[in-house]
Amino acid sequence: MPDPGSFDLQGMLGQAMQMQQQMMEAQQELENTVVTGTASGGLVTARVTGTGDLVGLDIKPEAVDPEDTELLADLVVAAVRDARAAADRLASEKMGPLGGGMPDLGNLGNLFG
């Protein structure tokens, strides 16, 4: 009869490999998904991937005032931040279930400390 305190190393390795595969798939999906963020009612729109890489920026002509380039810069920054926040939410949704870490190692942790 097996020791009740023992653990199934083979099973844990299988779970770890499955988790790694799921994480790789989620990461690939995030890299291929584009989300948007806007500023000032859509005068500036930024597009970023789910991993946060900026891939596009749209600026409506009425957002451009040669006398006030600081405002335009602020709108760009705000749109990019909004898009990054959307990417972070998406990443949290996709990776959230996988963020639990490794499976419970039982008493194995006692071997290291």
Side-chain angles (χ1 to χ4, degrees), residues 6-113:
S6 68
F7 59 93
D8 178 12
L9 184 58
Q10 183 93 10
M12 285 191 315
L13 290 174
Q15 286 179 341
M17 289 174 55
Q18 183 179 20
M19 183 183 297
Q20 181 181 18
Q21 180 63 34
Q22 290 171 339
M23 288 180 72
M24 288 174 27
E25 289 170 1
Q27 183 71 22
Q28 185 66 42
E29 187 174 341
L30 288 172
E31 290 173 3
N32 294 330
T33 302
V34 175
V35 295
T36 62
T38 62
S40 193
L43 287 179
V44 177
T45 301
R47 293 183 308 281
V48 300
T49 65
T51 55
D53 294 326
L54 181 65
V55 294
L57 188 63
D58 299 316
I59 301 172
K60 291 188 176 178
E62 54 269 26
V64 181
D65 178 359
E67 301 297 318
D68 191 4
T69 58
E70 286 182 33
L71 175 62
L72 179 57
D74 289 343
L75 292 176
V76 169
V77 169
V80 171
R81 284 184 179 158
D82 189 44
R84 286 293 310 257
D88 289 346
R89 286 189 301 274
L90 178 65
S92 180
E93 290 172 15
K94 297 291 180 189
M95 302 296 273
L98 303 173
M102 294 294 292
D104 182 15
L105 298 179
N107 292 329
L108 185 62
N110 295 335
L111 296 175
F112 301 108

